[in-house]
């Protein structure tokens, strides 16, 4: 049988590296030590692999998940073999944490080493809006894989205030503390609004990563 489908670039990458991009849209991981992944991220695996629900790990984090809208269902992946992760053909990027931290929108988290510590954080001033106001703070030692719809844009927040749509933000420096910014005004409200009422405001030494997408549109109820 002959087909361009079987070209070398589509064959499984042979490497002993624990984390490696099979392509820009698929991650290949070699299991030894456990890893944590978001549920539904696995697309294939080879070998003896087990998947188990990963709980909050503490009463504090459990209560945060109950009281906030940040729902990042996770699973623990263990065993021996290879596991492939992807999400809706999004681009995937690897980040090595070396005792530092990063905040990630849960919708953009794909997988991470089990050695990485995570916690749910609330954006300041988020009581005025209902969505996109909680995030996951990841810190410690280990690899983190995030996904991005399209090609990302990295903005430097140290020079001037930076405002980002909450649905378009991917991640930002762990030391930054975003706040909810409202651009509503009476004239805009009387004319039906602009559709861009709230943003996340960043200002300080650090960066924010933005994707050229606001996610899947929510269907309107008839």
């Amino acid at each position: 049988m002959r087909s361009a489908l079987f070209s070398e670039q589509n064959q499984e990458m042979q490497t002993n590296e624990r984390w490696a991009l099979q392509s820009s849209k698929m991650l290949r991981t070699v299991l030894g030590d456990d890893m944590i992944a978001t549920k539904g991220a696995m697309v294939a695996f080879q070998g003896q692999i087990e998947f188990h629900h990963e709980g909050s790990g503490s009463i504090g984090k459990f209560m945060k998940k109950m009281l906030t809208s940040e729902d990042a269902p996770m699973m623990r992946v263990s065993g021996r073999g290879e596991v492939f992760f992807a999400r809706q053909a999004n681009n995937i990027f690897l980040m090595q944490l070396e005792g530092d931290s990063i905040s990630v929108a849960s919708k953009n988290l794909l997988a991470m080493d089990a050695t990485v510590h995570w916690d749910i954080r609330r954006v300041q001033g988020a009581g005025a809006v209902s969505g996109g106001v909680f995030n996951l703070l990841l810190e410690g030692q280990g690899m983190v894989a995030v996904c991005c719809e399209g090609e990302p844009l990295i903005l430097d927040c140290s020079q001037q205030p930076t405002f980002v749509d909450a649905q378009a933000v991917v991640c930002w420096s762990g030391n930054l503390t975003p706040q909810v910014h409202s651009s509503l005004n009476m004239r805009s409200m009387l004319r039906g609004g602009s559709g861009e009422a709230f943003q996340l405001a960043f200002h300080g030494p650090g960066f924010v990563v933005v994707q050229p997408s606001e996610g899947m549109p929510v269907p309107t109820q008839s």
Side-chain angles (χ1 to χ4, degrees), residues 10 68 71 83 103 116 144 159 171 183 186 208 218 220:
N10 294 333
T68 70
D71 183 18
V83 185
S103 292
V116 174
V144 175
Q159 301 301 315
C171 58
S183 56
M186 185 59 66
V208 59
V218 179
T220 56

Side-chain angles (χ1 to χ4, degrees), residues 4 8 12 20-24 34 55 68 75-76 79 83 88 99 120 122 125 130 133 137 150-151 171 213 215 219:
E8 184 177 352
E12 179 184 353
L21 292 178
Q22 177 71 34
S23 70
S24 63
D34 290 0
T68 70
M75 60 183 180
R76 180 172 289 265
V83 185
Q88 298 178 343
I120 297 174
R122 178 178 180 274
S130 59
V133 293
L137 177 65
E151 298 299 329
C171 58
S213 170

Side-chain angles (χ1 to χ4, degrees), residues 26-49:
M26 186 174 295
L27 171 65
R28 177 185 186 269
T29 59
V30 178
L31 261 295
D33 297 331
D34 290 0
M35 65 175 52
I36 307 297
T38 51
K39 291 184 178 180
M42 184 275 294
V43 295
F45 68 89
Q46 295 177 309
Q48 303 299 317
I49 307 296

Side-chain angles (χ1 to χ4, degrees), residues 123-129 131-133 163 178-182 197-201:
V123 175
Q124 293 184 6
V129 291
V133 293
F163 303 90
Q179 297 184 350
V180 171
H181 171 77
S182 174
F198 299 99
Q199 303 85 37
L200 297 183

Side-chain angles (χ1 to χ4, degrees), residues 138-183:
L138 311 180
E139 54 188 352
Q141 300 280 346
M143 191 73 77
V144 175
V146 298
C147 57
C148 176
E149 295 185 46
E151 298 299 329
L153 169 67
I154 301 176
L155 297 175
D156 181 3
C157 305
S158 63
Q159 301 301 315
Q160 58 185 338
T162 302
F163 303 90
V164 181
D165 187 292
Q167 302 304 317
V169 67
V170 176
C171 58
W172 60 88
S173 301
N175 62 289
L176 290 177
T177 303
Q179 297 184 350
V180 171
H181 171 77
S182 174
S183 56

